[in-house]
Amino acid sequence: MKNRGMWKLAAGVIGLIAGVFAGGFLGLVIGGTFLGGFDIYEQTGMEGYELTAYIGAVVGGVAGLVFGVRRAGK
């Protein structure tokens, strides 16, 4: 019982790292597939696949963090 907080911390960090990689990859695939034809670069200064990879990494990181902590709590 004493190390329950450490288990949650470890699971949260592992979930965060896995979520960032998975979300970034999915964002890269989705952005490269669907946003390649748009002129997003002229408006934002970033390509569409790059923008969705960053957004996917942030969303995946948050989701992985929450999932990891909740999973370790059970």
Side-chain angles (χ1 to χ4, degrees):
M1 282 299 194
K2 203 187 287 188
N3 291 331
R4 190 173 182 111
M6 287 299 257
W7 283 108
K8 284 187 175 184
L9 178 66
V13 169
I14 291 170
L16 176 72
I17 293 169
V20 165
F21 282 122
F25 177 73
L26 287 176
L28 188 65
V29 169
I30 291 170
T33 303
F34 296 113
L35 297 177
F38 296 127
D39 292 328
I40 296 174
Y41 181 77
E42 294 172 358
Q43 297 171 351
T44 62
M46 299 170 63
E47 294 290 338
Y49 64 88
E50 186 179 1
L51 184 63
T52 55
Y54 289 141
I55 292 171
V58 169
V59 171
V62 170
L65 178 69
V66 170
F67 180 75
V69 170
R70 294 189 80 200
R71 183 80 175 150
K74 292 185 178 188

